[in-house]
Amino acid sequence: MKTSKRLEQALVKLYNAYHNNRLNPEDCAACAVGNILDNHDSWKHLSNDYGSLSLNYIGRVHQNLGRKFNGYTPLEILKIEKVFLEACGFKTPLCHYNPKPINPTSKDNLFNGLSAVVDILCQLDNIDNIMNYSKLFEQENGEPVYHLETFLT
């Protein structure tokens, strides 16, 4: 499957963060977007609320100028983070009175978050979700419709 450079780089960073225990939804430099943006937290200044889709003045300026951060626009960055937080069990935007998961860094919560992020990253690049292997199990007349080699190339 052909992917964009930004998607490939984001997936490598998220994969490494997940497996090296460097993924934390409560840390702007270690969340999904923090990892995609090389563990910098400057992206948090694009919005006034963590987990919101509302760009603030700084975010709107960057968006209107066509700025991209590791290939992603400010609005795309906010979408990615919102999806990640919600899939990890948070109510967005984050604030002290909104519920949050009991163990936000459990592997189950993080995997749910990453699965949702991979889906939104694929949507942003207009490709099928690369984590969807359900086609491998489709059959026609008892024979597989698709073969593993198709998905691995």
Side-chain angles (χ1 to χ4, degrees):
M1 176 179 295
K2 186 76 172 149
T3 62
S4 67
K5 183 177 180 178
R6 73 177 188 169
L7 176 59
E8 187 175 327
Q9 289 175 340
L11 292 174
V12 167
K13 291 172 186 178
L14 291 169
Y15 175 87
N16 287 330
Y18 178 78
H19 287 292
N20 294 318
N21 297 316
R22 292 189 325 253
L23 190 62
N24 184 342
E26 295 180 302
D27 180 350
C28 292
C31 59
V33 169
N35 276 285
I36 291 170
L37 300 181
D38 304 316
N39 301 104
H40 296 289
D41 68 354
S42 55
W43 68 271
K44 69 183 179 183
H45 300 293
L46 299 172
S47 177
N48 293 334
D49 299 307
Y50 190 44
S52 168
L53 292 179
S54 184
L55 292 169
N56 61 17
Y57 178 75
I58 294 169
R60 285 192 311 272
V61 167
H62 285 290
Q63 183 76 26
N64 291 337
L65 289 174
R67 297 253 168 85
K68 293 191 177 183
F69 304 89
N70 287 0
Y72 294 96
T73 68
L75 193 52
E76 288 173 330
I77 287 169
L78 296 185
K79 286 179 186 176
I80 294 164
E81 191 59 22
K82 182 176 178 64
V83 164
F84 177 67
L85 290 171
E86 289 177 352
C88 285
F90 290 88
K91 171 111 172 74
T92 59
L94 295 189
C95 61
H96 67 281
Y97 55 82
N98 276 346
K100 69 178 208 171
I102 294 170
N103 185 0
T105 57
S106 76
K107 285 293 190 181
D108 287 339
N109 284 340
L110 295 177
F111 182 79
N112 291 339
L114 283 179
S115 295
V117 167
V118 169
D119 185 43
I120 190 72
L121 292 175
C122 290
Q123 286 177 35
L124 292 173
D125 280 9
N126 295 315
I127 64 168
D128 292 334
N129 186 340
I130 62 168
M131 290 182 66
N132 183 1
Y133 283 92
S134 62
K135 288 187 176 186
L136 284 175
F137 301 101
E138 289 182 21
Q139 292 186 359
E140 225 176 68
N141 299 325
E143 294 293 320
V145 176
Y146 302 97
H147 298 281
L148 184 59
E149 294 81 25
T150 305
F151 289 91
L152 298 178
T153 57

